[in-house]
């Protein structure tokens, strides 16, 4: 199988995996249904990247979500502790989606 065909098969497998999954994001509270979640680099409010509890491996130009509801819930409660309310959101990814190498089965 050539490189182009293998890349196409990988994209198709990724799309199929996403199609039936439920995704969760633990973030800042107060968003409404349908509101787009944007990365910290584009936010005018509190930057979660400045929290000592935020993962050092996280990149501020990305929005993280997971198929593991409890992981998202823990993230929302731990990272935003003492800085307002965190919230759990069920989300629908748009744009490019990458697997987080630190959480390959759920990230």
């Amino acid at each position: 199988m050539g490189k182009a065909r293998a890349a196409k098969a990988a994209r198709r497998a990724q799309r199929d995996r996403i199609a039936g999954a439920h995704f969760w994001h633990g973030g800042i509270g107060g968003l409404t249904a349908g509101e787009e979640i944007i990365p910290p680099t584009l936010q005018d409010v509190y930057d979660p990247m400045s929290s000592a509890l935020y993962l050092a491996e996280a990149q501020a130009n990305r929005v993280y979500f997971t198929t593991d509801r409890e992981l998202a819930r823990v993230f929302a409660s731990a990272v935003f502790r003492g800085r307002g309310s965190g919230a759990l959101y069920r989300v629908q990814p748009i744009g490019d989606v990458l697997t987080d190498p630190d959480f390959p089965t759920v990230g």
Side-chain angles (χ1 to χ4, degrees), residues 45-107:
V45 295
Y46 162 70
D47 178 8
M49 305 298 282
S50 65
S51 170
L53 297 170
Y54 203 79
L55 299 174
E57 298 84 7
Q59 297 182 30
N61 64 342
R62 296 187 177 169
V63 172
Y64 288 85
F65 56 90
T66 178
T67 54
D68 186 330
R69 183 178 182 169
E70 290 308 306
L71 177 62
R73 183 186 313 275
V74 167
F75 186 84
S77 65
V79 172
F80 299 101
R81 187 180 324 142
R83 299 178 186 263
S85 63
L88 179 67
Y89 299 98
R90 184 169 168 201
V91 297
Q92 176 63 46
I94 56 174
D96 295 332
V97 175
L98 302 171
T99 300
D100 186 339
D102 297 319
F103 299 94
T105 59
V106 297

Side-chain angles (χ1 to χ4, degrees), residues 3-21:
K3 285 184 181 182
R5 184 172 283 170
K8 185 175 181 180
R11 286 191 305 271
R12 184 178 303 118
Q14 174 82 355
R15 187 175 55 244
D16 292 347
R17 183 172 60 88
I18 289 172

Side-chain angles (χ1 to χ4, degrees), residues 13-53:
Q14 174 82 355
R15 187 175 55 244
D16 292 347
R17 183 172 60 88
I18 289 172
H22 293 266
F23 296 103
W24 304 94
H25 172 79
I28 297 172
L31 299 178
T32 59
E35 193 169 343
E36 187 174 349
I37 300 171
I38 60 174
T41 53
L42 300 177
Q43 295 178 15
D44 292 332
V45 295
Y46 162 70
D47 178 8
M49 305 298 282
S50 65
S51 170
L53 297 170

